[in-house]
Amino acid sequence: MDARFRQAVGAFQRGDLEAALAIATGQANSTDPEWQHLLGLIECRRGNLSAGVAYLQSASDAEPDNPAFRLMLARALVDCGRAAEVLAMPEPAALPLAANVALWQIRAEAAARLDDATALAQAWRSIAAATPNDGRAWINLGRSLLQQDAFAEAADAYRKALALTPTNLDALHELALLYERTNDLQAMADLLDSALADGIAKDRLAFAWALLEQRLGNAQEARRLLDLPGADRDRTRWYRLLATAEDELGNSSAAFAATIAMNRSARGFDDWRRRGLAYRQELRDLAEAIAGWSDLPSLPPLDDPPIFLVGFPRSGTTLADTFLMGHPEIEVLEELPLLSDVAAFLGSLRNLPRVSASSMRQARDRYLRDLAAALPTRSARRIVDKFPLNMVAAPVIHGLFPGAPIIFVQRHPCDCVLSGFMQAFVSNVGNASFLDIADAAEFYDACMSVWAACEAVLPLNVHTIRYESLVIDPEAELRPLMEHIGLGFDERMLDHRKTANARGAIPNTSYNQVVEPLSAAPVLRWRRYAKELEPVLPALLPWAERLGYES
């Protein structure tokens, strides 16, 4: 290192960026990666990220095996909003350990910026493997795996963190919540009891204890624990559990108020509401377009096409698919967006009558390929594609699979809307409307308007299941369904709890309900909230009457 370079580095380290820049600008040349790298660092520190990245990229291109150059380039790319370029870089491999870990950490940050759950989990998996004694790495791995619903591997990561530090509160709290999410209440209780035996008082894990008590049916104790200091470390979860406890205690007004607070605490609340509004308008435009169709061209029918299980969210589709899973000749594909993917391939559904037969065949072929990939070990005779909001994609079902059975699950509109509003959904455009009760009612009206238009215009092969009848007398509701889809009734369908417990983690907010005994308690629950729902009843009660419910 020559004197001028040392002088420039010294100025940079002292924070005299102008002096460092003057020296480096006068000395650097395009063939000297050290000077290019230093110029990049100076420009980034001065806030000129684009210029800094250009210099750092030049240095890294000249010495691609230099880990320091790669690391600073990746850092600058993330800082200037170009995280995708970091993930496009070669994965760290045969580098010294410290540089390897640092590069993986930058990749993890880039993946988090891009909401790339797969890349995030891979980064933390590599970091944890390289630093197996770092409990924080195992916790971060567990968190990243939860984003992929990789529950078993996430639990293993948390247990590794606890093996290093058995009293780590983050690992204990998050593992307890994971056990609850997978309905393993015994493991949850054992974990919390063990923490108590290790001297960790209940107030240190108050939320986890409250959640366990609520799942065990002790709403009063859950409510008490929620008032302990620190129980509200996650405000959205805290409000959700508070609403559940107050609801079970019969305090409807308090439960509704807690739900409002829960939804308002959601990240990006205002933005999601705007996106929900735009989606509802798309649905209304679609309903208007369908009402003007005379029919819709369709492909030749298939033998044994998929069976589509649809219904407005919180109508009981998860309970219905659990009953169906108990039939040995049925395999359920649960909540994968196969149909919406091919709908996007076809373009706006309003223009579906003008889509060519060739494009329709391509879309059907793509759907069948994706279906086969999703069920690589298929053995059942019939496949049920369960995705509730496929109700608004009924034209695609008819176009690709004319005559395919569609199971429509209906529930009282007020109960659907109330239940959706009171869930802590993961935000996406399909459920953004549940952040506000008026939005939720409008969403129901928009979805049902599309469904009604489809039923009026298209020769759909629909069989309707009524949720209220399903929970009271499942066999009476299921026998006609099985006759409709051409399969015999099987007594094993009725043991829904056995089926639910055997199916593994349930990928929706009904995970903790379908493992419970059938109950008529949710039927007409909305009447306890009649005062809170009063502003939206004019939108919902006409649909209730249309669906055959008493006003």
Side-chain angles (χ1 to χ4, degrees), residues 260-342:
I260 292 173
M262 173 192 75
N263 286 327
R264 289 190 178 277
S265 72
R267 186 175 65 175
F269 173 80
D270 291 326
D271 180 58
W272 280 115
R273 284 199 66 195
R274 284 191 291 270
R275 294 172 69 177
L277 174 63
Y279 183 53
R280 295 195 300 275
Q281 188 56 54
E282 287 180 22
L283 293 175
R284 295 195 183 282
D285 292 343
L286 176 60
E288 183 178 352
I290 293 171
W293 295 351
S294 57
D295 194 2
L296 178 69
S298 58
L299 297 175
L302 296 179
D303 294 334
D304 291 338
I307 300 166
F308 295 91
L309 176 59
V310 305
F312 190 77
R314 304 301 298 172
S315 62
T317 54
T318 300
L319 179 61
D321 81 34
T322 304
F323 280 117
L324 290 170
M325 285 180 184
H327 197 289
E329 295 186 80
I330 289 177
E331 188 162 358
V332 177
L333 180 72
E334 190 162 35
E335 303 203 20
L336 291 180
L338 304 190
L339 199 66
S340 56
D341 286 348
V342 298

Side-chain angles (χ1 to χ4, degrees), residues 8 18 20 73 76 88 106 130 136 141 146 163 183 216 231 267 272 348 355-356 381 398-399 485 498 531:
E18 297 307 317
L73 172 61
I106 295 291
R136 181 56 49 183
L141 174 59
L146 286 179
N183 292 313
L216 295 177
R267 186 175 65 175
W272 280 115
S348 172
V355 173
S356 69
R381 175 182 164 192
H398 172 67
I485 63 179
K498 179 179 179 180
K531 179 181 178 181

Side-chain angles (χ1 to χ4, degrees), residues 74 141 203 220 235 430 475 488 506 517:
L141 174 59
D203 61 353
Q220 191 69 54
R235 296 296 286 179
E475 182 172 351
I506 298 168

Side-chain angles (χ1 to χ4, degrees), residues 51 232 296 528:
D232 60 347
L296 178 69
R528 293 198 284 114

